[in-house]
Amino acid sequence: AQTVTQSQPEMSVQEAETVTLSCTYDTSESDYYLFWYKQPPSRQMILVIRQEAYKQQNATENRFSVNFQKAAKSFSLKISDSQLGDAAMYFCAYRSRSNFGNEKLTFGTGTRLTIIP
Amino acid sequence: EADIYQTPRYLVIGTGKKITLECSQTMGHDKMYWYQQDPGMELHLIHYSYGVNSTEKGDLSSESTVSRIRTEHFPLTLESARPSHTSQYLCASSARWTEAFFGQGTRLTVV
């Protein structure tokens, strides 16, 4: 079974600075998706960024980028120019792409990000 | 913008009552999921469905049941609510190769 580990329960960053959230995962599959989700205090889960395992290029979405290291099974999220609206719980998630039907979304335990004004 | 809806948003109910949490999506997704989120914010998959008439139990054992009679609808039912069922319940849906989209959640309190 796949597992996702987020070793940082809480992180804080000064507004306008850069912060990196860590995520590692364990899988025996070669084809899968990785995601970062954000859950603000209003509690609706929102997709931040996704990465396909077969793509070597790291995904980028505006101020959000990932460092995907497939061999190390590492998938960190970098937030540049942090803004107050970035304060939220961030979840790393894994989803298999290999087997039809075995496509559960497995989440890490989350990292609570605080932005310091 | 994701078109997946959960009702009610908040529910306070007495012990022993039967409750149904509703989840509907208008995106035509074949896959739907129910997650239970504990106070520490960790997410636990309790049910999922790959299509009509297909339901599976998730990683966390739950006394709730689900049904999938229509593609767009995935209700969760508790036959007899207990205080231990107090939690946040999140519904999600996805197509085969897409990310999951989440509803706003139902916060259930059993007194």
Side-chain angles (χ1 to χ4, degrees), chain B residues 9-53:
Chain B
R9 288 288 311 280
Y10 303 93
L11 178 62
V12 181
I13 200 162
T15 297
K17 298 292 186 183
K18 178 180 178 178
I19 59 170
T20 297
L21 307 184
E22 301 288 348
C23 178
S24 295
Q25 51 97 4
T26 59
M27 297 173 283
H29 289 166
D30 52 355
K31 295 171 180 49
M32 297 190 75
Y33 313 85
W34 277 104
Y35 288 87
Q36 185 173 338
Q37 188 168 33
D38 61 30
M41 302 297 282
E42 192 166 348
L43 291 153
H44 304 282
L45 180 67
I46 52 174
H47 297 284
Y48 59 100
S49 168
Y50 294 137
V52 171
N53 295 324

Side-chain angles (χ1 to χ4, degrees), chain B residues 93-106:
Chain B
S93 72
S94 69
R96 185 173 179 184
W97 303 129
T98 70
E99 63 271 21
F101 294 88
F102 284 81
Q104 290 191 298
T106 294

Side-chain angles (χ1 to χ4, degrees), chain A residues 76-116:
Chain A
S76 61
L77 174 71
K78 186 172 82 171
I79 306 173
S80 304
D81 185 25
S82 298
Q83 300 175 0
L84 294 177
D86 295 334
M89 282 291 289
Y90 286 82
F91 293 94
C92 179
Y94 172 101
R95 182 179 175 186
S96 171
R97 194 177 185 273
S98 301
N99 302 313
F100 179 69
N102 183 25
E103 295 163 21
K104 292 185 290 183
L105 192 60
T106 302
F107 284 89
T109 52
T111 297
R112 184 179 301 278
L113 178 65
T114 301
I115 310 298
I116 303 166

